[in-house]
Amino acid sequence: MSDYNFAYLDEQTKRMIRRAILKGLAIPGYQVPFASREMPMPYGWGTGGVQVSAATLTPDDTLRVIDQGADDTTNAVSIRKFFEKTAGVQATEETAQASVIQTRHRIPEEDLREDQILVYQVPIPEPLRFLEPSEVETRKMHSLEEYGLMHVKLYEDIAKHGAIATSYAYPVKVEGRYVMDPSPIPKFDNPKMEMAAIQLFGAGREQRIYALPPYCQVVSLDFEDYPFEASKADHACDMCGATNSYLDEVIMDDAGNRMFVCSDTDFCASRRKAGHMGAQAAAASAALKETAA
Amino acid sequence: MTPLLKVENISKFYGRRIGCKDVNFDLYPGEVMGIVGESGSGKSTLLNCLAGFLTPETGEVLFEMRDGAMRDTVTMSEPERRMLSRTDWAFVHQHARDGLRMNVSAGGNVGERLMAVGARHYGNIREEAIDWLGRVEISETRVDDRPTQFSGGMQQRLQIARNLVTGPRLVFMDEPTGGLDVSVQARLLDLLRGLVREMGLSAIIVTHDLAVVRLLADRLMVMKDGHVVETGLTDQVLDDPQHAYTQLLVSSVLQV
């Protein structure tokens, strides 16, 4: 532990990142350039989020790292271990216990509080990128609020699929000003972004940090005749029976059987602990009782 | 009648070389102005200066805004100029792929300008896009195809639809028929002439093709080595050229 400075990065770097974070919070949705460092993990593994977390953590913090809502995937495990080793902070798998939550592709189901910070890993921070390849031009478009192009993307969706088919990284407008990429979270999570916690976004390879202060207005873009819809699989969780959570579809066998489970593992586990039971979980426990009897 | 565009003493230099020098003219509403000259004569430099893509060293480009005031577009702030260029102005590039988004469907290409000025109703945008595709003789069934699947002539017509959809008052055209074969050129010219008359557009057309200006332009400006050598009504200049260079230009046209 003592071989590393607290949370791996040196103090000067953390100060530089904190300045970028503060600027980002002052201009919600604006992408602040920062001098992203080489991290001991490859780009695409959350180097941006890790640097933001490193600059945010204090020795008293409790950290949760989730990847697609789960604590036990490779990305989440390796980042959690990284901070346990280099910062010695306490780690948790419960949303309510954590003061800093680093996430990839999900927002926890449980409402976050004002004393919590949510850190997102962002692969491509520029929402206009796939329509306008030039960075010079996209920056100009942001500064002049020329966002017609964003709707061209949604238009293309409807023309091709009959509905807005963008289901993740769904563009949002922040405080009526900047159009922002919410990182690849499902659009089901978009309405949750108006929350009590501070939200920080770090893109390591692209060297950008942006942020949302608490209770910031975040509006998902849409058309008048094709309004935004926070969609999810039309099913209840087979484990805990929740009908209001984002679900993963798990293929069970080659016979076409599948089950839907909450992607937020903590949410699902705590519901089951409280006695809730989904269809497949109920069937399994009934079968168990039968064999016991 | 007050001019729509007033160009005063526009000069543009590339280092010590002249791009164009001391160009003056007025363009009135509904008028089509042709600029002809050989390659390197400064036609495109002039057009780019007028359309705000290049900043001239000297001179003013006064444009009549919707409120009737004449504003200098050279000293205008960039947001204002960009706003102009997606509402009141249109620019038709020589190569359609410079003016189109090649990875966006034809409907999206036409709708982009509408969305850029705040249209947010998909049904209306699409309806308007289809209407405009019809006006430039592109079938409604091609509305969801990408421009990469279009022929050169269709791409050029699509570019024109995309530019005219917001009802601009001034259109800049840089060799709109360049690179098209003659029969396609003829149809495009016919279409352009119809649209210009129907919408009462003012236009500035840069070309080296005298047939294009004969058909479309009311007035003609002949450029050589960055200078305007002759101006006048199109028929007058082409039928009775005064300047030696214009005489050469007119006599160089092949007669078949």
Side-chain angles (χ1 to χ4, degrees):
Chain A
M1 158 71 217
S2 58
D3 297 340
Y4 292 105
N5 188 38
F6 177 73
Y8 186 78
L9 292 173
D10 62 277
E11 293 304 312
Q12 282 303 319
T13 301
K14 283 196 270 183
R15 285 178 64 180
M16 175 268 294
I17 293 172
R18 285 176 197 139
R19 277 198 294 270
I21 291 173
L22 288 174
K23 184 170 180 182
L25 282 166
I27 319 170
Y30 172 71
Q31 299 166 44
V32 185
F34 80 110
S36 177
R37 298 289 191 253
E38 289 265 340
M39 297 303 282
M41 60 187 74
Y43 288 128
W45 279 68
T47 51
V50 165
Q51 289 178 77
V52 170
S53 293
T56 314
L57 281 174
T58 66
D60 305 330
D61 272 320
T62 310
L63 179 72
R64 182 180 181 210
V65 185
I66 45 177
D67 171 7
Q68 311 258 22
D71 297 86
D72 52 3
T73 49
T74 319
N75 194 211
V77 170
S78 60
I79 292 173
R80 186 167 58 238
K81 282 204 173 136
F82 173 76
F83 281 120
E84 278 177 334
K85 186 170 182 185
T86 61
V89 292
Q90 210 173 352
T92 179
E93 298 195 356
E94 287 170 41
T95 305
Q97 301 294 320
S99 55
V100 176
I101 302 170
Q102 180 169 336
T103 181
R104 173 176 174 265
H105 299 194
R106 270 318 305 278
I107 296 176
E109 302 291 352
E110 195 177 325
D111 284 341
L112 298 184
R113 302 181 309 265
E114 287 185 4
D115 61 346
Q116 292 178 309
I117 296 175
L118 187 59
V119 178
Y120 296 79
Q121 300 170 200
V122 183
I124 293 164
E126 179 52 73
L128 302 162
R129 176 58 70 244
F130 290 107
L131 293 149
E132 178 52 65
S134 157
E135 175 73 16
V136 174
E137 185 62 19
T138 54
R139 279 206 219 184
K140 197 167 271 175
M141 289 159 83
H142 280 293
S143 63
L144 300 178
E145 260 186 280
E146 285 181 6
Y147 289 133
L149 199 53
M150 208 67 252
H151 274 84
V152 173
K153 183 175 186 287
L154 301 180
Y155 172 95
E156 287 291 291
D157 256 14
I158 302 174
K160 214 178 284 171
H161 307 289
I164 298 179
T166 304
S167 56
Y168 65 95
Y170 192 101
V172 293
K173 194 164 205 178
V174 180
E175 287 290 327
R177 180 57 182 85
Y178 283 99
V179 166
M180 186 188 94
D181 181 346
S183 87
I185 59 172
K187 65 177 169 182
F188 174 80
D189 283 345
N190 271 19
K192 288 191 217 157
M193 298 184 90
E194 293 186 347
M195 63 162 75
I198 290 176
Q199 298 169 77
L200 305 175
F201 299 78
R205 179 184 46 210
E206 305 285 325
Q207 312 199 322
R208 294 287 183 279
I209 284 174
Y210 50 104
L212 295 174
Y215 307 111
C216 200
Q217 185 202 45
V218 181
V219 180
S220 304
L221 300 179
D222 58 4
F223 284 104
E224 288 158 16
D225 45 348
Y226 285 84
F228 171 76
E229 203 184 333
S231 60
K232 67 184 264 293
D234 189 18
H235 211 277
C237 174
D238 282 324
M239 299 285 278
C240 75
T243 53
N244 58 349
S245 67
Y246 190 73
L247 301 173
D248 285 340
E249 185 177 358
V250 185
I251 292 174
M252 304 300 287
D253 52 25
D254 288 344
N257 285 316
R258 55 197 60 206
M259 72 185 289
F260 290 89
V261 284
C262 295
S263 97
D264 186 340
T265 48
D266 172 48
F267 178 76
C268 198
S270 56
R271 269 179 61 85
R272 271 179 287 149
K273 214 177 279 173
H276 296 280
M277 211 178 263
Q280 296 209 12
S285 76
L288 208 64
K289 256 179 217 156
E290 214 164 276
T291 47
Chain B
M1 198 151 83
T2 56
L4 180 72
L5 188 77
K6 220 172 152 61
V7 178
E8 288 178 350
N9 291 320
I10 287 292
S11 299
K12 171 75 191 171
F13 299 96
Y14 297 107
R16 288 167 65 192
R17 269 172 293 132
I18 295 174
C20 60
K21 196 161 188 307
D22 295 330
V23 179
N24 289 284
F25 69 91
D26 291 349
L27 185 76
Y28 288 87
E31 192 179 32
V32 179
M33 169 89 150
I35 303 176
V36 294
E38 60 192 5
S39 295
S41 61
K43 322 181 288 281
S44 293
T45 298
L46 175 62
L47 193 73
N48 286 328
C49 284
L50 301 181
F53 296 136
L54 289 174
T55 312
E57 259 78 39
T58 64
E60 289 181 329
V61 180
L62 299 164
F63 180 73
E64 189 196 43
M65 308 295 282
R66 297 218 167 171
D67 61 5
M70 297 297 278
R71 292 281 309 279
D72 184 4
T73 61
V74 177
T75 54
M76 189 181 261
S77 73
E78 193 176 9
E80 279 181 296
R81 192 162 54 234
R82 283 174 75 115
M83 188 66 193
L84 261 189
S85 67
R86 59 175 191 265
T87 52
D88 273 353
W89 288 0
F91 197 104
V92 178
H93 293 265
Q94 175 176 6
H95 302 292
R97 41 187 68 230
D98 294 340
L100 292 172
R101 290 195 189 278
M102 298 306 281
N103 53 359
V104 167
S105 71
N109 263 295
V110 178
E112 183 182 345
R113 268 170 85 107
L114 294 170
M115 291 181 250
V117 296
R120 291 290 179 267
H121 191 285
Y122 175 81
N124 295 350
I125 293 167
R126 193 172 172 82
E127 207 170 290
E128 186 125 356
I130 288 171
D131 175 49
W132 265 99
L133 290 182
R135 290 213 218 173
V136 296
E137 298 164 17
I138 296 175
S139 157
E140 184 181 335
T141 53
R142 304 298 303 267
V143 64
D144 290 331
D145 290 347
R146 292 181 175 194
T148 41
Q149 295 160 298
F150 285 9
S151 69
M154 278 172 85
Q155 287 180 3
Q156 197 57 284
R157 294 200 302 269
L158 178 62
Q159 192 194 181
I160 288 164
R162 168 185 158 91
N163 272 290
L164 297 188
V165 66
T166 48
R169 293 187 294 150
L170 176 58
V171 186
F172 300 102
M173 295 189 223
D174 190 3
E175 309 265 12
T177 56
L180 302 176
D181 66 64
V182 280
S183 59
V184 174
Q185 260 191 38
R187 267 178 66 201
L188 186 75
L189 285 173
D190 196 41
L191 176 80
L192 270 176
R193 190 163 55 170
L195 287 170
V196 163
R197 295 280 178 276
E198 187 188 319
M199 298 175 71
L201 289 175
S202 306
I204 298 176
I205 299 177
V206 160
T207 181
H208 52 241
D209 187 342
L210 293 183
V212 171
V213 288
R214 175 76 93 173
L215 272 169
L216 283 175
D218 303 309
R219 268 196 311 146
L220 206 56
M221 201 158 85
V222 184
M223 290 187 75
K224 174 151 176 52
D225 299 333
H227 296 270
V228 176
V229 294
E230 190 165 350
T231 57
L233 297 175
T234 304
D235 292 345
Q236 180 193 337
V237 173
L238 292 183
D239 294 340
D240 182 20
Q242 300 295 312
H243 191 273
Y245 174 69
T246 319
Q247 291 168 356
L248 176 74
L249 196 67
V250 172
S251 62
S252 310
V253 176
L254 283 176
Q255 304 290 333
V256 268

